[in-house]
């Protein structure tokens, strides 16, 4: 059948330019490799390859660390005592005879707790390097000795207590070796070291809760029971990163709260507080062990 009557199909009209119609062109596709064909025919293999290529979830940026710690502490006030018997600190806070109140043994260590905060400046040396501040406090108390003790009976006041408080504050450089814990899941150990300057406030209070004072024969105040000393502090410890218990939960907790890692840790602390060895200085240093919890965020 031809075109309908009166049509001008195939007839070139005046002013028209005819061009030949070019057929579509196609780029030649490479032949798929044998491994690709096998992968397409094996759904389990395809899924495993996709999982390997999936990007890992990035943890939040790590800048700070916070520690809560506890141990025991005994300020070495009597370190330079050279007289007979117990020193002045031990005479008041040492172990006493329950019948007479007379000191029969050295003082025991008191509970010591504190907080440490750290700003991590860089992590380029297999772990963070930072600057930290540590605040700690220890207290001791005993029955107040009587000013004029009796020849027989209890030589202390059972109604009044004398209290001694020491509060060291340290500014330290900190390094934590985290490379092993970052790379090996089943080796979640982070050793660390801290060192820096320390300053300790101290005060003693009488039974009324006021700062104790020393008076002369005319009742004039000669000295007050408070002050402060300079020194240094070193902390060496080992941390157990708790993320290995449940890595998935740890990553989720990081996304929600911004806490990168949580730890249990134990450390040895050496504190020397005697104004760098001055003979007439109060001595508040000690060597002790501490345990605690830490978080990096």
């Amino acid at each position: 059948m031809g075109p309908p009557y009166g049509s001008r199909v195939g007839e070139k009209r005046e002013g028209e330019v005819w061009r030949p119609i070019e057929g579509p062109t196609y780029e030649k596709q490479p032949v798929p490799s044998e491994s690709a064909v096998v992968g397409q025919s094996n759904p389990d293999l395809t899924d495993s390859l996709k999982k390997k290529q999936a990007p890992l979830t990035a943890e939040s940026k790590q800048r700070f660390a916070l520690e809560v710690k506890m141990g025991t502490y005994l300020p070495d006030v009597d370190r330079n005592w050279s007289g007979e018997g117990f020193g002045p600190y031990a005479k008041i806070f040492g172990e006493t005879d329950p019948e007479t109140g007379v000191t029969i043994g050295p003082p025991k260590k008191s509970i010591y707790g504190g907080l440490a905060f750290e700003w991590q400046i860089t992590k380029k040396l297999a772990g963070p390097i930072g600057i930290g501040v540590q605040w700690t406090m220890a207290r001791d108390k005993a029955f107040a000795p009587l000013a004029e003790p009796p020849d027989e009976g209890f030589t202390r006041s059972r109604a009044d207590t004398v209290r001694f408080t020491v509060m060291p504050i340290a500014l330290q450089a900190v390094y934590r070796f985290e490379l092993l814990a970052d790379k090996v899941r089943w080796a979640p150990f982070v050793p660390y070291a801290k060192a820096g300057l320390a300053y300790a406030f101290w005060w003693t209070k009488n039974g009324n809760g006021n700062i104790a004072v020393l008076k002369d024969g005319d009742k004039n105040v000669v000295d007050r029971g408070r002050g402060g000393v300079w020194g240094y502090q070193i902390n060496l410890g080992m941390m157990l990163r708790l993320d290995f218990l449940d890595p998935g939960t740890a990553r989720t907790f990081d996304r929600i709260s911004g806490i990168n890692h949580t730890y249990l840790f134990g450390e040895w602390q050496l504190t020397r507080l005697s104004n760098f060895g001055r003979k007439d200085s109060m001595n508040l240093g000690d060597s002790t062990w501490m345990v605690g919890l830490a978080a990096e965020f």
Side-chain angles (χ1 to χ4, degrees):
M1 295 179 63
Y5 180 78
S7 76
R8 300 177 62 184
V9 175
E11 182 179 344
K12 183 177 180 181
R13 301 176 184 178
E14 185 178 355
E16 290 182 340
V17 178
W18 284 22
R19 294 183 179 87
I21 299 175
E22 299 180 359
T25 58
Y26 301 95
E27 294 182 4
K28 187 175 181 181
Q29 299 296 323
V31 178
S33 64
E34 184 177 353
S35 61
V37 174
V38 174
Q40 288 291 336
S41 61
N42 188 342
D44 294 335
L45 178 60
T46 304
D47 292 341
S48 65
L49 291 174
K50 287 181 179 179
K51 290 179 181 178
K52 289 182 180 179
Q53 295 175 356
L56 297 175
T57 303
E59 64 179 20
S60 62
K61 200 162 186 178
Q62 180 177 312
R63 287 288 185 87
F64 306 101
L66 180 65
E67 299 174 359
V68 180
K69 58 182 69 177
M70 180 176 292
T72 58
Y73 197 82
L74 177 61
D76 203 0
V77 179
D78 295 336
R79 183 181 182 87
N80 298 325
W81 173 253
S82 57
E84 296 182 0
F86 296 102
Y89 186 85
K91 285 181 180 178
I92 297 177
F93 298 100
E95 184 180 357
T96 59
D97 186 314
E99 299 296 330
T100 64
V102 176
T103 302
I104 59 175
K108 297 180 180 180
K109 291 196 172 188
S110 57
I111 299 299
Y112 181 64
L115 299 172
F117 181 79
E118 173 189 333
W119 173 41
Q120 298 178 344
I121 300 172
T122 179
K123 290 189 66 176
K124 293 184 178 180
L125 294 178
I129 299 175
I131 298 175
V133 177
Q134 177 173 300
W135 170 90
T136 46
M137 178 180 286
R139 291 180 174 177
D140 204 350
K141 66 178 181 178
F143 288 125
L146 295 173
E148 298 179 358
D151 295 333
E152 296 182 1
F154 201 63
T155 59
R156 297 174 180 249
S157 170
R158 297 185 184 275
D160 295 328
T161 57
V162 57
R163 300 174 184 270
F164 184 83
T165 304
V166 57
M167 187 174 68
I169 299 175
L171 178 64
Q172 299 173 297
V174 185
Y175 174 68
R176 302 181 191 272
F177 180 76
E178 295 187 350
L179 181 63
L180 186 64
D182 289 341
K183 299 297 183 181
V184 183
R185 176 183 172 185
W186 294 108
F189 302 104
V190 177
Y192 66 92
K194 304 180 183 182
L197 292 174
Y199 185 84
F201 298 92
W202 67 271
W203 60 90
T204 180
K205 292 186 177 182
N206 56 27
N208 296 325
N210 301 320
I211 296 295
V213 296
L214 178 64
K215 297 181 180 181
D216 59 17
D218 297 328
K219 304 294 184 178
N220 296 318
V221 176
V222 177
D223 200 0
R224 297 182 182 276
R226 63 186 178 191
V229 288
W230 284 97
Y232 63 88
Q233 181 172 297
I234 299 172
N235 298 69
L236 302 175
M238 178 68 73
M239 310 177 79
L240 174 64
R241 183 178 287 181
L242 301 178
D243 302 11
F244 79 98
L245 297 174
D246 191 341
T249 301
R251 288 192 293 268
T252 302
F253 188 59
D254 182 14
R255 290 194 297 269
I256 295 174
S257 66
I259 296 177
N260 302 84
H261 310 291
T262 54
Y263 298 89
L264 282 173
F265 70 89
E267 69 177 20
W268 172 72
Q269 176 179 291
L270 174 66
T271 310
R272 288 291 178 259
L273 296 164
S274 60
N275 286 324
F276 302 103
R278 283 182 51 182
K279 292 184 179 180
D280 59 345
S281 170
M282 171 76 89
N283 195 322
L284 298 176
D286 189 23
S287 173
T288 187
W289 291 92
M290 304 186 75
V291 296
L293 294 170
E296 290 179 319
F297 55 96

